[in-house]
Amino acid sequence: MAFVPPARHLLEVDDLARAAGLSKAHFSREFRRTFGESPYVYLQTRRLERAAALLRNTDHSVAEICLEVGLQGVGSFTTSFKRMYGVTPTEYRAAGAPASAHAVVPACVVRAYGRPQHRTIREDSSAIQT
Amino acid sequence: MKISTAQLWVHDQDEALAFYTEKLGFEVRSDVTLPEMGDFRWLTVSPPDQEDVAVVLMAIPGPPVMDEQTTRQVEELMAKGFSGTVFLTTDDCQGDYEQLKARGVEFTETPEERPYGIDCGFRDPSGNSLRLTEVKLPANV
């Protein structure tokens, strides 16, 4: 936990500049010179990558994911996502396996919870060993 | 062999998710509800720069997965703070403490000097204890 990001506040260029101890203009210039892209583009890329991971690994809605990664509107999210991945967030999710296939739910959990919930014989009082 | 996930019982997964993401700054690694498993929800979180390790925030099941007596026992242990602990490290215990406190995290121990560094303790909404340690390197290293 080297760095605790503020609650519901996603990093902005200002935060990066402050962390580096440089003015925003100087930071942006040096960042671009060193890494070949502006810090804004870098942050935007990280957000879209994070959104893609959430589309794959969760069943959160596209609108929820948009907010979770700190993008303002679903419209601009869809546009920038499509620019980077060639498909809309909804298409991206539909093209991959559902999140349930990605979630590595251990077999012991699947056995315990996947059991039929309604039984006619009385066995509710005995726990299942996981 | 590597640690991939460790489990914590939680009273309410939404409440736990809000705490770990909004107060602690963790990220959701997976959040999937499986209708074929009685809407079992597999919910994992971990710090932003630790994508390969996660904590499963597991709802306490009732019958038939867990009998009622065991459920009660788990709840009692959680209430006492004995059901599990997550140990975190940081390079700025005092700074993190102040940030987390400002966000309403309830501390059980304020930062204190220890032989191994400085650490503090707090609890999640379910009563699980967490310790945050800034490890001091031995002087002769």
Side-chain angles (χ1 to χ4, degrees):
Chain A
M1 278 204 22
F3 171 67
V4 184
R8 281 283 163 203
H9 170 90
L10 288 109
L11 287 174
E12 302 292 345
V13 177
D14 282 338
D15 301 307
L16 301 185
R18 207 173 306 124
L22 299 172
S23 76
K24 190 177 171 185
H26 184 54
F27 172 74
S28 294
R29 212 164 38 238
E30 288 302 309
F31 189 99
R32 184 194 285 274
R33 206 166 61 86
T34 309
F35 298 109
E37 64 181 2
S38 71
Y40 175 79
V41 169
Y42 171 80
L43 281 179
Q44 191 74 1
T45 308
R46 293 284 88 76
R47 283 178 185 167
L48 293 171
E49 284 174 357
R50 174 99 194 102
L54 290 170
L55 287 165
R56 291 195 306 272
N57 301 325
T58 73
D59 41 29
H60 299 182
S61 72
V62 170
E64 282 167 347
I65 290 173
C66 170
L67 294 176
E68 279 175 74
V69 301
L71 295 168
Q72 300 307 320
V74 178
S76 67
F77 170 45
T78 303
T79 311
S80 34
F81 191 90
K82 188 164 183 174
R83 200 179 304 130
M84 183 160 153
Y85 287 94
V87 286
T88 66
T90 309
E91 289 164 349
Y92 180 87
R93 170 171 271 168
S100 57
H102 286 287
V104 190
V105 182
C108 62
V109 173
V110 173
R111 273 201 300 277
Y113 287 81
R115 231 171 85 138
Q117 304 283 313
H118 304 291
R119 292 295 181 94
T120 48
I121 50 170
R122 212 185 296 150
E123 57 175 1
D124 282 1
S125 57
S126 62
I128 294 167
Q129 298 300 311
T130 57
Chain B
M1 209 182 282
K2 286 171 122 183
I3 292 177
S4 70
T5 4
Q7 182 216 294
L8 272 187
W9 294 118
V10 298
H11 288 309
D12 179 309
Q13 287 177 308
D14 285 325
E15 179 190 52
L17 179 61
F19 176 83
Y20 282 94
T21 56
E22 293 173 24
K23 293 209 193 292
L24 223 48
F26 282 19
E27 287 182 353
V28 183
R29 294 292 165 222
S30 55
D31 183 2
V32 182
T33 301
L34 303 163
E36 68 277 19
M37 285 166 57
D39 281 340
F40 170 77
R41 184 177 178 193
W42 179 254
L43 175 63
T44 71
V45 294
S46 69
D49 54 0
Q50 271 197 312
E51 287 192 40
D52 61 340
V53 186
V55 177
V56 188
L57 304 175
M58 189 82 93
I60 309 165
V65 178
M66 188 185 269
D67 65 273
E68 280 164 23
Q69 194 195 347
T70 309
T71 302
R72 268 199 311 279
Q73 287 169 335
V74 169
E75 283 169 350
E76 280 170 23
L77 286 175
M78 286 168 72
K80 294 174 192 163
F82 287 129
S83 116
T85 303
V86 176
F87 296 90
L88 304 164
T89 54
T90 176
D91 53 16
D92 182 8
C93 184
Q94 186 66 35
D96 286 353
Y97 163 76
E98 277 158 24
Q99 273 204 50
L100 294 174
K101 198 172 154 63
R103 286 180 210 156
V105 173
E106 196 188 314
F107 278 82
T108 49
E109 286 176 51
T110 54
E112 251 185 80
E113 294 280 353
R114 312 271 175 194
Y116 51 81
I118 172 168
D119 74 358
C120 58
F122 55 102
R123 302 179 85 182
D124 77 4
S126 301
N128 296 304
S129 62
L130 294 102
R131 286 200 79 81
L132 180 59
T133 308
E134 179 183 336
V135 179
K136 185 174 63 186
L137 293 172
N140 57 354
V141 173

